[in-house]
């Protein structure tokens, strides 16, 4: 009986024991073994690439579960005009069938060109996908419509994409990342280059993009002015982009202008604005050569409305905000060929572009410093306008027999600003008014104004203030 009980307890313990799923590992050395390992995945798998692999057609990554492709620094590539994409990702049908694919330490190259379409590196075809690219290089640099990462599909969900510590190069005729669907996109510590670095196509409505410690670069080589484009391009609405400690660079080499942010949405009364927020003391908006540093305006009306209260460039379908916080956070750099007055005309009335000693242009908002009249003395402020955070000095000179009473500084809302004992205060994000009052000195010190004369035994104290005292001293 005891043996039966022990056996029963053992079986029950096995039944309730948590199952730890270990991903299978597969080593691949050629196109055939690579495709076999990635097609129709039904369990978690780690695929280890052991040498450089040339493919003659696309590599399907299909199924469900967690797929990790360790490139080990090797390259997977196709010869020119062999296949329009290297990897194609498709999740198995069904809401619960999620495909999570990570490309780690891999080089993917595709120079396909059929005259109108370029090569693609990684192409997602359904929404139920999470794609992660880390420590990798994706290069598609032929002369037409190159796309290192294409976020596509026809489903209504959200495709999540993460790019870290990677280089995505679309050359001069492509888009480092192009999205046709709603996307949750995170880019960190990476370098994206192309005709556009990010191209949010029709279908990407509602996407959220977070960029940190990254460089986004675009170059325009078109010879016709109509070929204007940008580093971040929008063809759909309601897209949120947050850029932190990153560089957004735009340049043009011929007649076509390039702009850091380009909006192709034709606004209607129902259009939901997209937003771009740029922050961080490492962030730079860099413009070179044939560049328009402006908010892309509505293509129909050509209007751009400016909100004078913030660093904002607005039209009916685009809001771009610079510098939420310290006004010198976001820098604008331009080489000598760029008309630096171009940015200024799109700034609020109280914002200017200032050139630092190193040639960097900095966007700053200067707030006015106003003064009230006073009696029994004079005062001055060491500047008439200042940016947020600057130290301002109030200098006071009382009349004779008067001394400083108070220095009062209030902002535009009437809130008092703290003034230090030495007459300094920190400029707030508002214009200020400075008021100084003097009071009579009840114990004036006249020692500096007294002339003492010794004459014939008399001491005559002539007080310059007008009071004369005579003291007779007996002669010996």
């Amino acid at each position: 009986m005891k043996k039966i009980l022990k056996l029963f307890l053992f079986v029950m313990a096995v039944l309730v024991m948590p199952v730890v799923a270990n991903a299978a590992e597969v080593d691949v050395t050629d196109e055939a073994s690579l495709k076999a390992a990635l097609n129709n995945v039904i369990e978690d798998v780690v695929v280890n690439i052991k040498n450089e692999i040339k493919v003659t057609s696309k590599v399907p990554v299909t199924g469900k579960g967690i797929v990790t492709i360790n490139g080990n620094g090797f390259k997977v590539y196709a010869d020119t005009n062999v296949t329009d994409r290297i990897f194609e990702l498709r999740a198995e049908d069904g809401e619960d069938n999620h495909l999570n694919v990570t490309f780690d330490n891999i080089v993917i190259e595709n120079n396909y060109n059929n005259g109108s379409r370029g090569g693609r590196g990684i192409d997602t075809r359904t929404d139920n996908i999470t794609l992660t690219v880390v420590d990798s290089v994706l290069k598609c640099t032929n002369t037409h419509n190159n796309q290192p990462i294409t976020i596509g599909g026809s489903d209504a969900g959200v495709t999540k994409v993460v790019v870290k510590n990677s280089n995505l190069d679309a050359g001069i005729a492509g888009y480092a990342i192009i999205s046709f669907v709603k996307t949750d996109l995170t880019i960190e510590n990476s370098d994206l280059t192309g005709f556009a670095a990010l191209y949010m196509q029709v279908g990407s409505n509602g996407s959220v993009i977070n960029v940190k410690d990254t460089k986004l670069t675009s170059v325009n080589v078109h010879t016709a002015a109509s070929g204007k484009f940008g580093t971040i391009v929008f063809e759909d609405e309601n897209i949120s982009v947050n850029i932190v400690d990153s560089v957004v660079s735009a340049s043009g080499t011929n007649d076509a202008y390039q702009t850091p942010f380009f909006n192709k949405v034709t606004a209607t009364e129902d259009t939901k604005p997209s937003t771009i927020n740029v922050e961080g003391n490492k962030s730079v908006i860099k413009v070179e050569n044939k560049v328009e540093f402006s908010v892309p305006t509505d293509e129909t009306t050509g209007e751009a409305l400016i909100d004078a209260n913030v660093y904002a460039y607005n039209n009916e379908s685009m809001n771009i905000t610079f510098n939420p916080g310290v006004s010198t956070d976001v820098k604008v750099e331009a080489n000598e060929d760029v008309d630096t007055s171009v940015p200024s005309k799109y700034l609020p009335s109280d914002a200017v572009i200032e050139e630092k000693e190193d040639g960097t242009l900095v966007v700053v908002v200067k707030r006015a410093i106003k003064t009230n009249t006073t009696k029994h003395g004079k005062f001055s402020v060491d500047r008439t306008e200042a940016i947020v955070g600057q130290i301002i000095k109030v200098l006071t000179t009382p009349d004779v027999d008067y001394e400083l009473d108070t220095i009062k500084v209030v902002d535009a809302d009437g809130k008092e600003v703290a003034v230090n004992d030495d007459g300094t205060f920190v400029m707030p994000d508002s214009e200020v008014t400075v008021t100084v009052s003097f009071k009579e000195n009840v114990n004036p010190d006249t020692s500096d104004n007294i002339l003492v004369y010794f004459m014939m035994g008399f001491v005559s104290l002539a007080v310059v203030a007008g009071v004369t005292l005579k003291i007779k001293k007996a002669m010996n």
Side-chain angles (χ1 to χ4, degrees), residues 25 28 31 36 95 97 111 126 147 151-152 170 179 187 200 225 260 269 280 301 334 357 403 407 424 432:
E25 291 207 25
V28 298
E31 180 179 9
E95 291 183 4
N97 295 327
N111 290 316
T126 58
Q147 301 171 21
I151 308 170
S179 178
I187 307 169
M200 308 306 293
E269 61 181 13
T301 65
E357 291 183 359
E403 62 184 359
I407 299 176
T424 60
V432 297

Side-chain angles (χ1 to χ4, degrees), residues 133-148:
V133 178
V134 60
D135 295 328
S136 296
V137 176
L138 278 64
K139 188 174 183 180
C140 304
T141 56
N142 215 311
T143 56
H144 287 89
N145 200 18
N146 308 301
Q147 301 171 21

Side-chain angles (χ1 to χ4, degrees), residues 31 51 67 111 195 254 270 310 322 366 378 385 394 396:
E31 180 179 9
N51 50 256
V67 179
N111 290 316
F195 184 38
N254 290 306
D270 297 324
V310 291
F322 292 137
K366 289 190 174 182
K378 300 177 181 179
E385 57 184 9
V394 181
T396 62

Side-chain angles (χ1 to χ4, degrees), residues 78-85 110-120 140-146 173:
D79 286 337
T80 302
N81 294 339
V82 170
T83 177
D84 64 346
R85 65 203 68 189
N110 190 4
N111 290 316
Y112 181 83
N113 179 13
N114 71 351
S116 62
R117 174 182 288 185
R120 299 181 181 186
C140 304
T141 56
N142 215 311
T143 56
H144 287 89
N145 200 18
N146 308 301

Side-chain angles (χ1 to χ4, degrees), residues 309-346:
N309 295 318
V310 291
Y311 284 125
Y313 305 67
N314 300 329
N315 67 11
E316 295 174 342
S317 58
M318 176 73 69
N319 298 314
I320 303 178
T321 303
F322 292 137
N323 181 43
V326 181
S327 59
T328 54
D329 271 358
V330 179
K331 303 175 180 65
V332 178
E333 291 185 354
N335 68 2
E336 61 184 7
D337 296 325
V338 177
D339 179 1
T340 57
S341 66
V342 172
S344 301
K345 70 178 181 179
Y346 292 100

Side-chain angles (χ1 to χ4, degrees), residues 378-397:
K378 300 177 181 179
F379 76 95
S380 62
V381 184
D382 61 356
R383 62 190 71 227
T384 58
E385 57 184 9
I387 65 174
V388 178
Q390 279 190 304
I391 303 299
I392 311 302
K393 175 74 171 178
V394 181
L395 305 172
T396 62
T397 306

Side-chain angles (χ1 to χ4, degrees), residues 453-465:
Y453 298 92
F454 291 89
M455 179 181 292
M456 296 174 57
F458 287 88
V459 178
S460 176
L461 290 87
V463 183
V464 173

